Amino acid sequence: MRNLVLGGVLVGLVVLAALVSFFWTPFDPVKVDATNRLLDVGAAHWFGTDKFGRDLLSQIMVGARTTLYVGVVAVGIAAVIGTPLGILAGMSPRWLGEFVMRVNDLVLAFPALLLAIMFGAVFGADTLTAMVAIGIATIPSFARIARSGTLQVMSTEFVLAARAGGRSRLTIAVRHVLPNISGLLIVQASVSFAIAVLAEAALSFLGFGTRPPTPSWGRMLQESQELLTVHPRLALVPGIAIAVAVLGFNLLGDGLRDRLDPRLAAKV
């Protein structure tokens, strides 16, 4: 319960910052102002300004929007494709299920960052390319979870009764399998969201993610490198934002697992 609450609070802060940024930010996050370069923390600029005179707090708020956007789309792609594949592998004859999972393992062999860099080289590096690549790289995780859960559900008495009653595979998958593995999928989505946050930040840091002038936490880290020893806050601010988001989603996933897994819930 503690992990669930703490994770929810941290994720809530990120979501709140993103939502508020649609309507208000202290300053224009993309406006370059040479007269306000590298201002320290103060009443006007709570986190100071960067080497271009842009307000760091405003960039963090809009960067949260970018991070959540990438995470939602990437995890959505992975869940929509990976879940049916996993259910198919769990409900099909053994040979077909093994074939699906071997193809799944082949995709799993390509890390998200490498896949995104390859996509960027072919289609151009931008936010859309990054989140599609992250989503594709995350499909195997959902497929594995869905297959494992499906195999367990398929051996239960109510599914055996449904099969004996002549119910179609599609009906069994929709009415019996999917509802019973939804808890596992929700936990996987939370963990995958944390991975997507890190992947997007890393890609933007390397120049294969969100393009300027759109604020991105990863690019804020990249732009701070040349002034790291003089103005460490330029890296500290986005670094803390990334850590809060990743920690929040991981704790949320742990808390959801404890609540949704009957075996663990009985011990809480």
Side-chain angles (χ1 to χ4, degrees):
M1 185 65 180
R2 182 169 50 194
N3 287 344
L4 183 62
V5 173
L6 182 56
V9 169
L10 294 179
V11 171
L13 289 175
V14 177
V15 173
L16 180 62
L19 291 177
V20 171
S21 72
F22 279 104
F23 309 101
W24 174 84
T25 54
F27 297 89
D28 186 340
V30 300
K31 182 180 180 181
V32 176
D33 186 356
T35 61
N36 288 325
R37 293 179 66 253
L38 300 174
L39 293 180
D40 288 329
V41 175
H45 301 276
W46 289 6
F47 294 162
T49 61
D50 64 8
K51 61 183 179 181
F52 300 109
R54 298 173 301 189
D55 180 63
L56 290 183
L57 176 57
S58 301
Q59 289 192 77
I60 288 294
M61 293 174 66
V62 179
R65 197 165 70 198
T66 302
T67 296
L68 293 177
Y69 175 51
V70 171
V72 168
V73 175
V75 173
I77 291 173
V80 168
I81 299 176
T83 300
L85 282 178
I87 294 176
L88 174 65
M91 297 184 65
S92 299
R94 184 179 179 84
W95 68 268
L96 181 56
E98 290 296 328
F99 174 76
V100 172
M101 295 314 295
R102 296 298 76 77
V103 174
N104 188 73
D105 292 340
L106 182 63
V107 177
L108 190 62
F110 288 88
L113 292 181
L114 178 60
L115 194 62
I117 291 174
M118 292 171 57
F119 274 38
V122 176
F123 302 107
D126 58 14
T127 306
L128 178 61
T129 303
M131 60 191 180
V132 170
I134 296 170
I136 292 175
T138 312
I139 288 174
S141 300
F142 278 88
R144 282 177 173 273
I145 290 294
R147 179 176 183 261
S148 176
T150 299
L151 290 175
Q152 294 180 9
V153 174
M154 291 299 290
S155 63
T156 58
E157 294 182 358
F158 61 85
V159 170
L160 294 176
R163 295 178 66 182
R167 296 287 180 88
S168 67
R169 290 181 180 271
L170 180 60
T171 300
I172 293 174
V174 174
R175 292 189 178 182
H176 300 291
V177 175
L178 190 57
N180 282 282
I181 67 173
S182 59
L184 297 173
L185 297 175
I186 291 172
V187 173
Q188 181 61 41
S190 180
V191 174
S192 296
F193 216 111
I195 296 173
V197 170
L198 278 176
E200 189 280 329
L203 288 171
S204 295
F205 181 87
L206 296 172
F208 290 94
T210 305
R211 290 180 176 179
T214 304
S216 166
W217 294 347
R219 200 176 64 255
M220 290 174 69
L221 281 174
Q222 191 275 331
E223 292 173 349
S224 70
Q225 295 307 294
E226 61 186 62
L227 297 170
L228 191 58
T229 57
V230 183
H231 296 281
R233 62 177 174 79
L234 297 178
L236 190 61
V237 170
I240 291 176
I242 294 171
V244 167
V246 172
L247 179 62
F249 282 109
N250 277 327
L251 289 175
L252 189 62
D254 289 343
L256 289 172
R257 181 197 60 198
D258 295 341
R259 300 292 294 180
L260 298 175
D261 190 328
R263 295 168 299 180
L264 296 175
K267 300 178 181 180
V268 177

